Amino acid sequence: MKNIGKGTQCVQGGYTPENGQPRQIPIIQSTTFKYATSEDMGKLFDLEASGYFYSRLQNPTCDTVAAKICELEGGTAAMLTSSGQAASFYAVFNIASCGDHVVSSSTIYGGTYNLFAVTMKRMGIDFTFVDPDCTEEELNAAFRPNTKAVFGETIANPALTVIDIEKFANAAHSHGVPLIIDNTFATPVNCRPFEHGADIITHSTTKYMDGHGAAVGGCIVDSGKFDWTKYPEKFSGLCTPDDSYHGVTYTERFGLEGAFITKATAQLMRDFGSVQSPQSAFMLNLGLESLHVRMKRHCENGLAVAKALEADDRIAWVNYPSLPSNKYYSLAQKYMPNGTCGVVSFGVKGGRRAAEAFMKGLKIAAIETHVADARTCCLHPASATHRQMNDEELAAAGVSPDLVRFSCGLEDAEDLIADIKQALDNI
Ligand SMILES: *Cc1c(COP(=O)(O)O)cnc(C)c1O
């Protein structure tokens, strides 16, 4: 069926049981798969036939759930990973290696920043971090001859900046490289980055997609639109024979629609093994079945809380991209007209100390590193997730020392607002 709505995709995407098959997706809890002959299995190893042989590479339950996310994003191929971190790492490392360079928005998740600036740097990949609000000239100036990709987050965690996807996509494409977008906070329910020029999408499915704080996971989706074969030298890993798979050339064998994900599975999953377990994928799918319903509620609660904070004179500032007073309101309206996310950040008057005292007084909202959960949770990034950054790096990441990240869950908005008010009363 064509033109199926996102809600229907959330509920039914990726899996259509045949006559007499289970209605819910089967959990294939098996490390391995049986074949009649060694020849049959040899064909799988040479990527000549498709099929399952070992769950470190691929598992049917994980692939079913990846197919649903692929449909939701409007992509051509997708894979699950063990975490969002693994998804970000694989997405970049699949096309950039030692001696290469990547342009990234500076306002990204703290874990991703560390992965890029410290760990991948140690692997010989250089990153240039640019302000997401930079001009086109500044953005273009960040590219080098060895640049292989551009990376950014639709709505940055925790800075809540909204990236101008088209501006970043145009710059990436004019330099012959793909744009990778981490769409964790918006989810495909609120934004579909491929429609605005992004080429690869990553997710921490740990957040809204799972939505219940049950399972860590990640996902990579390919739009199939980036033409690697136009730059065969730059993307030689995709466009020239892979000796570790008997000389398969990914773009030739799997086309533009399958090359990126097949290479990431065949090489990176094989060698690093950051698989999601079938059990976790099953739970992720339960979350996905209600993603469209939950995102609406998260956004309603986010807006109600943001408005209440804005009207309270004990609050120094409020940052929520769906507030008309927000710097990113027009970008948010352009890319996410139906809502952004449930995460609101703000500063309590009195700075770092007041913020910590405020958090201690909360009764419904819990202090957690987690975010984007059914239960409201909050965090003081400067003393937690971003603690290894100095003040300058914090400022570049859009995190001030007084910033409280408040992730509105699915509770009643009036209760969340009352909780905030009583915690402010008790500072
Ligand atoms: C949490 C998060 C990640 C990392 O995901 P994990 O599942 O925790 O590894 C990456 N990007 C964003 C935007 C996140 O919020």
Side-chain angles (χ1 to χ4, degrees):
M1 246 167 44
K2 279 202 176 133
N3 301 323
I4 281 180
K6 286 180 195 171
T8 307
Q9 287 175 334
C10 281
V11 181
Q12 299 209 12
Y15 178 61
T16 312
E18 304 288 327
N19 220 11
Q21 287 186 338
R23 187 68 195 93
Q24 183 51 280
I25 64 167
I27 304 173
I28 309 295
Q29 191 69 47
S30 181
T31 57
T32 195
F33 301 82
K34 178 200 166 246
Y35 287 92
T37 69
S38 303
E39 288 77 41
D40 288 346
M41 182 163 281
K43 283 188 187 137
L44 300 179
F45 270 93
D46 286 351
L47 301 181
E48 271 171 18
S50 68
Y52 297 95
F53 55 97
Y54 192 51
S55 286
R56 170 155 42 76
L57 280 100
Q58 275 183 287
N59 171 281
T61 309
C62 295
D63 283 355
T64 302
V65 180
K68 176 180 280 189
I69 298 174
C70 189
E71 245 179 71
L72 277 165
E73 287 289 13
T76 56
M79 68 197 283
L80 296 190
T81 57
S82 57
S83 66
Q85 285 297 99
S88 305
F89 173 57
Y90 282 20
V92 175
F93 197 63
N94 204 32
I95 43 177
S97 50
C98 186
D100 290 337
H101 172 257
V102 174
V103 175
S104 171
S105 162
S106 59
T107 56
I108 52 174
Y109 174 66
T112 311
Y113 179 84
N114 200 69
L115 169 70
F116 289 172
V118 181
T119 302
M120 291 184 77
K121 167 109 181 131
R122 232 165 48 209
M123 302 168 90
I125 302 169
D126 257 339
F127 287 80
T128 297
F129 294 96
V130 294
D131 188 324
D133 304 336
C134 66
T135 63
E136 273 168 47
E137 291 70 37
E138 288 165 332
L139 185 52
N140 285 324
F143 287 82
R144 300 180 194 166
N146 58 340
T147 302
K148 294 295 174 75
V150 177
F151 186 95
E153 290 176 18
T154 316
I155 310 170
N157 174 12
L160 302 181
T161 53
V162 175
I163 200 167
D164 188 340
I165 302 173
E166 283 169 13
K167 177 178 83 179
F168 273 70
N170 288 340
H173 296 160
S174 72
H175 289 87
V177 302
L179 173 64
I180 304 171
I181 286 286
D182 180 336
N183 198 31
T184 298
F185 266 26
T187 83
V189 169
N190 284 340
C191 181
R192 300 222 303 175
F194 290 156
E195 289 170 359
H196 306 287
D199 303 286
I200 310 283
I201 289 172
T202 60
H203 280 282
S204 167
T205 61
T206 317
K207 311 296 164 50
Y208 287 119
M209 284 191 170
D210 170 294
H212 300 79
V216 173
C219 184
I220 308 173
V221 190
D222 182 12
S223 67
K225 283 189 293 190
F226 192 83
D227 191 353
W228 315 102
T229 62
K230 268 170 119 181
Y231 317 95
E233 275 158 37
K234 200 187 296 192
F235 302 108
S236 58
L238 284 153
C239 303
T240 54
D242 176 2
D243 291 338
S244 71
Y245 270 106
H246 295 212
V248 59
T249 298
Y250 293 101
T251 45
E252 272 174 20
R253 181 77 64 82
F254 303 100
L256 294 184
E257 58 295 346
F260 187 87
I261 294 294
T262 307
K263 177 178 181 289
T265 305
Q267 294 179 341
L268 304 182
M269 267 311 177
R270 178 195 61 189
D271 295 351
F272 294 117
S274 318
V275 282
Q276 188 164 141
S277 77
Q279 189 73 45
S280 291
F282 177 84
M283 285 191 281
L284 167 58
N285 188 56
L286 289 182
L288 288 169
E289 287 180 2
S290 62
L291 182 67
H292 55 305
V293 183
R294 290 184 292 106
M295 284 314 289
K296 190 162 178 280
R297 174 73 167 210
H298 280 298
C299 291
E300 283 165 8
N301 283 356
L303 190 59
V305 164
K307 282 184 175 161
L309 287 164
E310 198 171 45
D312 195 309
D313 59 13
R314 295 166 294 184
I315 298 298
W317 53 270
V318 184
N319 184 12
Y320 185 64
S322 299
L323 268 185
S325 60
N326 191 271
K327 181 180 173 190
Y328 296 99
Y329 183 70
S330 57
L331 272 183
Q333 288 298 111
K334 174 176 176 185
Y335 291 113
M336 293 163 276
N338 299 323
T340 47
C341 64
V343 184
V344 181
S345 66
F346 56 93
V348 179
K349 280 184 185 163
R352 181 187 284 258
R353 282 250 189 94
E356 281 169 2
F358 163 76
M359 301 231 315
K360 248 183 222 158
L362 290 166
K363 294 193 164 73
I364 292 174
I367 298 175
E368 293 169 21
T369 54
H370 196 41
V371 69
D373 186 22
R375 286 141 296 211
T376 295
C377 49
C378 65
L379 180 79
H380 182 227
S383 57
T385 45
H386 285 58
R387 64 182 296 128
Q388 69 273 49
M389 289 189 183
N390 61 34
D391 280 1
E392 211 172 67
E393 287 167 334
L394 274 181
V399 180
S400 61
D402 65 342
L403 183 151
V404 172
R405 181 183 71 187
F406 197 88
S407 169
C408 298
L410 301 175
E411 302 91 340
D412 295 312
E414 310 81 73
D415 292 337
L416 300 182
I417 293 165
D419 191 30
I420 289 170
K421 298 271 180 201
Q422 65 81 29
L424 286 169
D425 290 343
N426 285 323
I427 289 179

